[in-house]
Amino acid sequence: MKKWPVIALLLVLVNCKTTPKEHTIILAPHVEEIKKELIFPDDFLGIYKGDLMNTTSNGIEIIPMEFHLLPTTDHLKYDYKIYYGAERSERAYTLIQTENPNIYELDENNGILLPVAYSKNTLFSTYEVAGNLLQNSEVFYQDRMDFMITMSVLKNKEKTGEAAGYEVVSYPISVVQQASLYKLTP
C-alpha cells in the first residue's frame, strides 16, 4: 500500500503546471515593399538572348536565340523579331495592340495576321501550318522571358474516349521548343 502515495505524488507533480516564462517579442517595424506594377508591353521592351532547346524524337538540339521587342514610331505597334542560330536567321514581325487589352495581333508582314491572347504578362497563340497544330506562349518577367512552342501533327490525332457524351481527341506533341531568354537591355 505504500505504492499509492508515491503514485499519487507523481501524478500531482506531473499535472502541476508551471507558469511559462514571459517572452519578450520585439516586432520589427512593418516594412511594406511597394512594387511597381509592370505594364505589358512597355515595361518589357528590350533584347533577350539565350539558347533554344528543340526537343524531338531524334533528341535535343540547342540553338542560339534572340528575341527583340522594341518600340516603333506608332505607339500601338512594336517590332517583334526572333533570331535563330549562329547565322542569326531573322523572323521580323510586328506586334499590334488592339482595342481589347487582352488581344494583340502578330503581323508576320507577309499577309498573315495571327490573333494573340494576353493574360498576366503572357502571350498565347494557337495556329495551324502545313498540317501541324502549333501552340505558343511567351511569359515576360522583369529580367527575362520564357518562350515555348509545342507542335502536333494533325493527322496523328488520337481518339482517346468519350466522356459525358463528348468525344475526346488528343494531339500527341512531336516537337517542343523551349527557351529562357535573358534581357540584355532595359
Side-chain angles (χ1 to χ4, degrees):
M1 292 282 187
K2 291 183 182 181
K3 291 182 182 178
W4 286 108
V6 172
I7 292 174
L9 181 60
L10 284 174
L11 287 173
V12 169
L13 289 175
V14 169
N15 287 322
C16 288
K17 293 183 180 178
T18 59
T19 323
K21 294 180 184 178
E22 288 187 30
H23 295 287
T24 305
I25 299 174
I26 300 173
L27 297 175
H30 182 6
V31 177
E32 188 172 318
E33 185 178 317
I34 300 173
K35 290 185 177 180
K36 175 187 169 221
E37 185 174 335
L38 298 173
I39 306 297
F40 184 84
D42 294 331
D43 288 329
F44 302 100
L45 297 176
I47 296 172
Y48 300 79
K49 191 172 184 177
D51 287 325
L52 175 74
M53 289 181 30
N54 188 45
T55 306
T56 67
S57 59
N58 296 327
I60 297 174
E61 177 184 17
I62 297 176
I63 303 165
M65 180 179 175
E66 276 185 39
F67 175 83
H68 297 200
L69 184 60
L70 302 170
T72 66
T73 55
D74 183 337
H75 74 282
L76 296 176
K77 294 182 178 183
Y78 299 86
D79 281 337
Y80 177 112
K81 293 182 181 180
I82 300 173
Y83 297 89
Y84 294 107
E87 68 282 356
R88 293 180 42 87
S89 174
E90 179 185 276
R91 308 291 193 278
Y93 309 120
T94 304
L95 184 67
I96 305 167
Q97 288 183 329
T98 67
E99 292 178 11
N100 182 333
N102 299 316
I103 302 293
Y104 285 77
E105 292 177 336
L106 188 62
D107 187 345
E108 291 192 359
N109 299 314
N110 62 2
I112 298 172
L113 198 61
L114 300 172
V116 179
Y118 168 79
S119 177
K120 295 184 180 179
N121 298 335
T122 305
L123 295 174
F124 300 93
S125 59
T126 301
Y127 47 95
E128 179 183 335
V129 177
N132 299 301
L133 182 66
L134 289 95
Q135 295 186 314
N136 183 40
S137 65
E138 298 163 6
V139 184
F140 290 86
Y141 304 94
Q142 203 162 10
D143 64 340
R144 73 182 195 287
M145 70 169 292
D146 290 333
F147 175 91
M148 182 186 293
I149 293 179
T150 60
M151 186 186 87
S152 301
V153 179
L154 288 171
K155 70 179 182 181
N156 293 343
K157 71 180 182 179
E158 298 175 1
K159 294 180 181 176
T160 57
E162 193 172 308
Y166 296 98
E167 182 178 71
V168 178
V169 177
S170 68
Y171 296 88
I173 295 172
S174 56
V175 177
V176 176
Q177 295 183 340
Q178 293 176 281
S180 286
L181 306 173
Y182 292 88
K183 196 170 190 178
L184 300 178
T185 61

